[in-house]
């Protein structure tokens, strides 16, 4: 029987029992075909570096192409040309009481924000494959490449015609963010369809709405926000250098006043790249600038009548809640739309497979 002695013990020296190994040779050395166990806790830094490497390889195809830089140059030239033409047209129609030399600089920054959204959607549409983190990092890298050139030109224009140079820094940040977020929208739209044409149509519709349509819809809805409310009399009114009311106290009985609750609809316009940059620029442009009130107009509309009609509801300035920055609202809505389009695109792509 296996495992038993081959012959009985004799009077001589005890012989070593011999055993037969059941199942063949036991190999305690690691096999070359054995699969190593994966690390149960992946390192976040390593995963990020891998994603960054994929994003760089994805972006390198763009930044090494002459078409990429030609698109950047055309966008910058178009922004400057439209800003200069708009200022000339406004001056010819006596929109400005005095000639504002820095108007071209300010308006050019706004048009560059719109151009970055359009270019970001196009680049994201063309390079739509990959994980979300890779697509996001690729958009950031392309945005940095475009922002460096656009920011340099904007600084040169600002030095030439005058204006707050800090606005160029804000424009660079907005350009990078818009290229990245609109790139996700373009990539998600492309993934929604198997063919190119329907995806291109969806991208065009979304970009057109975010860059123009939302402002048009907001303007059409504004008249419907007018209604009657109650307000008392403000006293001890304080104003800043631009004449904006910053503090007051309320006395007397409430009386009926007509107000426009613009905060009910103006949130639709906050994702607009031009208005988003304007809301940031309002904090940078000096309050005595002739166009400063235009940049701050969106924030005033988002705050509603409580900031424009003192003592609305008999409440003084000390009882008003702090304003929500329009830029944060706009970026949050852009990110939400990008997430929805990406989720829909990946779900439809998986369904097709």
């Amino acid at each position: 029987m296996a495992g038993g002695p081959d012959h009985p013990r004799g009077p001589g020296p005890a012989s070593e029992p011999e055993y037969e190994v059941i199942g063949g040779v036991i190999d305690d050395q690691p096999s070359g075909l054995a699969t190593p166990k994966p690390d149960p806790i992946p390192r976040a830094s390593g995963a990020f570096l891998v994603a960054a490497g994929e994003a760089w390889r994805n972006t390198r195809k763009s930044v090494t192409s002459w078409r990429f830089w030609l698109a950047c140059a055309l966008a910058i030239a178009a922004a400057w040309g439209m800003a200069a033409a708009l200022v000339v047209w406004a001056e010819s129609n006596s929109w400005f009481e005095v000639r504002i030399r820095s108007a071209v600089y300010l308006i050019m920054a706004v048009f560059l924000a719109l151009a970055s959204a359009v270019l970001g959607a196009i680049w994201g549409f063309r390079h739509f494959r990959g994980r979300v983190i890779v697509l996001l990092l690729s958009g950031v890298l392309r945005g940095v490449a475009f922002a460096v050139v656009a920011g340099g030109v904007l600084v040169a224009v600002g030095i030439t015609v005058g204006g707050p140079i800090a606005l160029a820094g804000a424009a660079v940040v907005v350009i990078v963010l818009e290229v990245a977020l609109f790139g996700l929208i373009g990539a998600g739209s492309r993934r929604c369809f198997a063919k190119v044409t329907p995806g291109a149509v969806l991208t065009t519709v979304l970009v057109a709405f975010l860059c123009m349509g939302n402002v048009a819809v907001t303007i059409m809805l504004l008249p419907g926000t007018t209604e009657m409310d109650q307000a008392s009399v403000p006293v001890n009114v304080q104003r800043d250098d631009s004449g904006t009311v910053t503090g007051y106290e309320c006395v007397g009985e409430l009386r009926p006043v007509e107000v426009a609750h613009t905060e009910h609809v103006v949130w639709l316009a906050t994702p607009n790249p031009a208005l988003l940059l304007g809301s940031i620029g309002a904090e940078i442009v000096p309050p005595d600038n002739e166009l400063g009130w235009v940049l701050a107009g969106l924030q005033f509309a988002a705050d509603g009548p409580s900031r424009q009609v003192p003592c609305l509801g008999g409440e003084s300035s000390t009882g008003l809640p702090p304003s929500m920055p329009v830029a944060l609202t706009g970026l949050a809505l852009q990110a939400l739309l990008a997430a929805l389009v990406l989720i829909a695109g990946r779900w439809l792509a998986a369904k097709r497979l």
Side-chain angles (χ1 to χ4, degrees), residues 206-232:
L206 292 177
V207 173
F209 178 77
L210 292 177
C211 293
M212 294 182 296
N214 55 356
V215 175
V217 172
T218 302
I219 293 175
M220 289 189 294
L221 294 177
L222 281 177
T225 62
T226 302
E227 59 185 47
M228 297 301 296
D229 211 324
Q230 300 287 323
S232 58

Side-chain angles (χ1 to χ4, degrees), residues 19 30 39 69 133 135 183 198 228 246 271 316 326 328 334:
Y19 296 93
D39 189 357
W69 297 109
I133 182 63
L135 296 176
M228 297 301 296
T246 58
S316 65
V326 172
L328 294 181
Q334 288 181 3

Side-chain angles (χ1 to χ4, degrees), residues 117-167:
V118 175
L119 289 178
I122 295 174
W123 293 332
F125 185 86
R126 294 184 59 189
H127 306 277
F128 65 96
R129 301 187 184 278
R131 295 175 294 163
V132 175
I133 182 63
V134 175
L135 296 176
L136 179 61
L137 292 176
S138 299
V140 170
L141 292 176
R142 293 190 188 94
V144 170
F146 176 51
V148 168
V149 181
V153 175
L154 196 60
V155 168
V157 173
I159 294 174
T160 303
V161 302
I165 302 301
L167 182 63

Side-chain angles (χ1 to χ4, degrees), residues 14 20 91 104 128 180 191 198 215 280 309 319 337-338 341-342:
E20 177 185 359
E91 290 179 347
V104 175
F128 65 96
R191 292 291 296 273
V215 175
I280 297 177
V309 181
L337 179 60
V341 176
L342 281 172

Side-chain angles (χ1 to χ4, degrees), residues 222-244:
L222 281 177
T225 62
T226 302
E227 59 185 47
M228 297 301 296
D229 211 324
Q230 300 287 323
S232 58
V233 179
V235 296
N236 299 330
V237 178
Q238 302 175 3
R239 301 178 182 271
D240 58 14
D241 297 337
S242 63
T244 304

Side-chain angles (χ1 to χ4, degrees), residues 304-336:
S306 60
R307 302 288 176 182
Q308 304 173 33
V309 181
C311 294
L312 186 65
E315 191 171 17
S316 65
S317 61
T318 57
L320 297 178
S323 301
M324 172 64 71
V326 172
L328 294 181
T329 304
L331 290 174
L333 291 177
Q334 288 181 3
L336 177 61

